[in-house]
């Protein structure tokens, strides 16, 4: 382990909820819950105001509504979350070439690799400047932990929440870890925690006192050795700059089971197109097309087909996904569908339309129910217009706003922008109002042109200016991947 706190861990506080509060003046300082709003939805993240009521990530949305009936419940807007995440990650890469993103809102940085920090004082200055830069560029708060290892840096950022900075100085690690719960250590989930508890081990100090041999007997060789080393504050894991993507996929969970085979087919086609857009956005192609189907009884099936060469052609992916769907019985109803592409490459083989016949189709069936994520915003829905709660709209007369709710042929919109000084006015329209249309999110921080320059200056004198967000000190931040967020 290093002799200086040069591993930095950043965790954006309550990320999704914080983005929503920054976007919507009327929600600042209010309880905000982001996730799937249907009866099967789960909480992706909750603002700190909502956590006071006991709401937390991965909680069933129905339970959250019972605990906080007056909170604002919003459908995730993954596009803006990704945009803000890219801004934050760009700031991290200015600090060091070794940045290891863990999710949209969380990452490790090796400051030593760039000579950005060499002792406690210099590390603290880097952490403070990073937090200020994040707030200037995004208007949001992030918690920073600095330590001599990844494990300790993450523990430090947890202690820093919300909106803080904690540095663990080398030599103090054992004293800090000792009284903490065994669940603090990486790899100790509910099952391992219960196993240790039954053996009379509740704290990290008690793990160290039990000894390595006893931990191996209780947990097995690999887990026992690793856990004992962590209890002694030993963690030699390096910061890994790039994690090679193994697949690109999208999936949606449906509030009501889909029984109509034609509708299932249309959903698969839509998911295939969305998957290709994501694939192309990453500059990738792939050879293996994967279909995921979770049926009414929670059984989850996957089907895959491997092509002769990599592709990013939407027609090829749609046709392959349709062939895979033909091999799945959906008679009882479908609650989740997903389409993915794996065996990735950074080039594309051109003429793949002849591949349809004779390709190998692999079948696998998974037991149990995976963790469900809230469905991403749909790009297009046939027949009727959908107005997801929290999503951006524009009206020909009233301008930019966001959907507060819809139903019974009506949609309620609050007209305000991130830079509005006070909550905007609310108006209700018919869902088919010709003056109302979906809109792209507005940036959280406005770019102004004028003298001076500064961070975010594009070479034309542009200066980033943070509006009056009205966020209480220590309550501005957010979480992460629906992805259930981490903060």
């Amino acid at each position: 382990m290093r002799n200086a706190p040069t591993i930095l861990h950043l965790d954006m506080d309550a990320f999704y909820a914080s983005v929503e509060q920054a976007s919507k003046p009327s929600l600042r300082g209010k309880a905000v819950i982001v996730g799937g709003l249907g009866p099967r939805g789960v909480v992706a993240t909750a603002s700190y105001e909502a956590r006071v009521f006991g709401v937390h990530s991965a909680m069933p949305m129905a339970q959250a509504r019972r605990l906080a009936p007056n909170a604002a419940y919003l459908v995730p807007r993954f596009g803006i979350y990704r945009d803000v995440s890219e801004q934050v990650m760009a700031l991290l890469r200015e600090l060091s070439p070794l940045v290891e993103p863990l999710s949209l809102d969380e990452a490790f940085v090796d400051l030593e690799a760039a000579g950005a920090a060499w002792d406690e004082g210099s590390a603290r200055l880097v952490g403070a400047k990073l937090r200020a830069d994040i707030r200037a560029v995004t208007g949001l708060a992030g918690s920073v932990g600095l330590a001599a290892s990844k494990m300790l840096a993450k523990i430090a950022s947890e202690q820093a929440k919300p909106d803080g900075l904690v540095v663990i100085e080398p030599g103090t690690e054992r004293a800090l870890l000792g009284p903490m719960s065994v669940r603090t250590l990486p790899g100790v989930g509910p099952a391992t925690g219960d196993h240790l508890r039954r053996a009379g081990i509740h704290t990290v100090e008690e793990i160290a006192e039990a000894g390595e041999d006893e931990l191996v007997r209780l947990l097995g060789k690999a887990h026992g050795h690793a856990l004992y080393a962590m209890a002694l504050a030993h963690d030699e894991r390096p910061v890994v700059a790039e994690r090679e993507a193994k697949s690109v996929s999208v999936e949606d969970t449906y509030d009501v089971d889909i029984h109509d085979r034609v509708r299932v087919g249309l959903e698969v086609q839509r998911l295939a197109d969305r998957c290709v857009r994501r694939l192309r956005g990453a500059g990738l192609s792939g050879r293996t097309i994967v279909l995921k189907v979770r049926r009414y009884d929670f059984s989850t099936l996957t089907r895959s087909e491997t092509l002769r060469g990599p592709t990013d052609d939407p027609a090829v992916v749609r046709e392959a996904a349709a062939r895979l769907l033909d091999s799945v019985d959906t008679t009882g109803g479908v609650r989740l569908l997903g389409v993915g592409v794996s065996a990735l490459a950074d080039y594309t083989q051109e003429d793949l339309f002849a591949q349809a016949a004779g390709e190998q189709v692999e079948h696998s069936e998974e037991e149990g129910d995976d963790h469900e994520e809230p469905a991403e915003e749909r790009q297009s829905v046939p027949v009727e217009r959908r107005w997801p709660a929290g999503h951006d709209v524009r009206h020909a007369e009233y301008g930019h706003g966001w959907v507060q709710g819809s139903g019974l042929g009506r949609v309620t919109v609050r007209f305000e922008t991130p830079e509005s000084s006070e909550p905007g006015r609310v108006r209700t329209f018919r869902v088919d109002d010709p003056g109302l249309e979906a809109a792209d999110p507005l940036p959280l921080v406005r770019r102004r042109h004028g003298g001076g320059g500064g961070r975010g200056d594009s070479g034309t004198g542009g200066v980033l200016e943070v509006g009056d967000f009205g966020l209480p000190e220590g309550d501005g931040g957010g979480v992460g991947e629906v992805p259930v967020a981490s903060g």
Side-chain angles (χ1 to χ4, degrees):
M1 195 164 65
R2 308 174 185 215
N3 58 7
T6 56
I7 300 293
L8 182 148
H9 181 261
L10 170 70
D11 199 342
M12 298 295 291
D13 304 327
F15 183 50
Y16 299 167
S18 293
V19 171
E20 299 299 343
Q21 288 176 319
S23 296
K24 304 170 172 66
S26 57
L27 298 185
R28 294 167 191 167
K30 306 288 181 62
V32 175
I33 298 169
V34 181
L37 302 191
R40 293 169 174 167
V42 297
V43 175
T45 190
S47 69
Y48 285 99
E49 297 88 350
R51 296 180 193 190
V52 171
F53 299 98
V55 180
H56 58 77
S57 299
M59 172 181 285
M61 191 61 75
Q63 182 181 356
R65 288 187 184 277
R66 290 193 295 269
L67 293 172
N70 296 319
Y73 289 85
L74 307 177
V75 174
R77 297 184 299 155
F78 289 98
I80 189 170
Y81 305 153
R82 292 189 187 101
D83 289 345
V84 175
S85 175
E86 288 172 4
Q87 291 178 301
V88 173
M89 296 302 166
L91 291 175
L92 297 183
R93 293 186 179 98
E94 291 180 11
L95 298 178
S96 171
L98 290 184
V99 176
E100 182 178 342
L102 304 179
S103 62
L104 290 179
D105 64 325
E106 185 180 4
F108 286 110
V109 183
D110 187 335
L111 299 178
E112 188 177 66
W118 50 91
D119 59 12
E120 188 270 341
S122 59
R124 188 179 293 275
L125 286 174
V126 170
K129 183 177 185 300
L130 173 64
R131 293 179 59 239
D133 287 346
I134 289 173
R135 188 175 286 280
V137 171
T138 70
L140 303 179
S143 295
V144 171
L146 288 144
S149 69
K150 291 170 73 171
M151 176 186 74
L152 292 165
K154 184 170 176 61
I155 290 172
S157 69
E158 286 292 325
Q159 291 184 324
K161 288 183 180 181
D163 192 15
L165 169 67
V166 168
V167 180
I168 299 176
E169 298 183 39
T172 67
E173 298 94 347
R174 290 286 301 276
L176 175 74
L177 286 174
M180 292 184 174
S181 165
V182 296
R183 292 289 302 276
T184 303
L185 299 180
V188 181
T192 301
D194 288 344
H195 198 49
L196 291 171
R197 180 180 53 79
R198 289 193 293 270
I201 299 173
H202 302 85
T203 67
V204 175
E205 184 177 18
E206 289 170 345
I207 290 178
E209 291 173 349
E212 191 168 15
D213 291 342
E214 176 65 7
L215 288 172
V216 169
R217 186 186 69 80
L218 288 171
L219 304 175
K221 187 174 181 180
H223 202 178
H225 285 313
L227 200 58
Y228 182 70
M230 287 188 290
L232 299 180
H234 296 160
D235 177 18
E236 301 298 333
R237 294 174 299 159
V239 175
V240 180
E242 295 294 338
R243 293 183 172 185
E244 184 178 353
K246 295 182 178 179
S247 65
V248 173
S249 63
V250 296
E251 63 181 46
D252 277 350
T253 301
Y254 303 98
D255 295 340
V256 178
D257 289 346
I258 302 176
H259 293 83
D260 181 359
R261 183 74 177 189
V262 173
R263 167 82 189 283
V264 172
L266 290 173
E267 289 294 314
V268 168
Q269 299 297 292
R270 181 180 59 80
L271 288 166
D273 287 343
R274 228 170 77 199
C275 182
V276 169
R277 282 195 295 271
R278 184 172 294 183
L279 192 71
R280 288 181 169 180
L284 297 170
S285 58
R287 294 183 62 230
T288 301
I289 315 303
V290 181
L291 175 72
K292 178 179 177 181
V293 180
R294 180 168 297 144
R295 299 187 292 190
Y296 69 98
D297 59 358
F298 288 87
S299 61
T300 303
L301 309 177
T302 62
R303 300 286 186 265
S304 65
E305 174 178 319
T306 299
L307 308 175
R308 292 196 181 106
T311 185
D312 66 352
D313 189 308
V316 174
V317 176
R318 283 197 302 267
E319 290 174 9
R323 288 193 297 273
L324 294 171
L325 180 61
D326 288 340
S327 67
V328 178
D329 180 9
T330 62
T331 305
V334 170
R335 59 179 284 125
L336 177 148
L337 290 168
V339 174
V341 178
S342 60
L344 300 179
D346 57 3
Y347 67 94
T348 302
Q349 173 145 343
E350 294 301 333
D351 183 16
L352 292 177
F353 290 97
Q355 298 185 111
E359 298 296 341
Q360 179 182 4
V361 178
E362 302 170 357
H363 302 263
S364 66
E365 184 160 347
E366 302 168 2
E367 297 296 331
D369 184 24
D370 298 38
H371 170 72
E372 283 192 23
E373 300 174 346
E376 291 193 16
E377 64 268 29
R378 280 117 166 108
Q379 299 296 324
S380 61
V381 176
V383 184
E384 68 177 33
R385 302 169 74 187
R386 296 179 65 256
W387 303 105
H391 281 221
D392 298 85
V393 295
R394 177 169 293 280
H395 192 273
E397 180 179 354
Y398 301 108
H400 191 94
W402 59 277
V403 176
Q404 284 203 166
S406 62
L408 301 177
R410 296 284 188 271
V411 55
T412 300
V413 177
R414 185 180 289 273
F415 290 96
E416 59 186 3
T417 70
E419 60 188 48
S420 298
S421 59
E422 59 185 24
R425 298 187 64 180
V426 176
R427 295 185 179 276
T428 299
F429 307 91
R430 294 181 57 87
V431 294
D432 57 356
D433 188 307
L436 191 65
E437 63 181 2
D440 292 330
L442 298 177
L444 302 186
V445 174
R446 185 160 50 108
R447 184 186 298 273
R448 275 190 176 176
H449 292 280
R455 181 177 296 281
D457 159 296
S458 61
T460 60
V463 180
L464 288 172
E465 179 179 279
V466 180
D468 179 12
F469 289 95
L471 293 174
E473 182 64 26
D475 233 343
V479 184
E481 201 189 332
V482 142
V484 169
S486 59

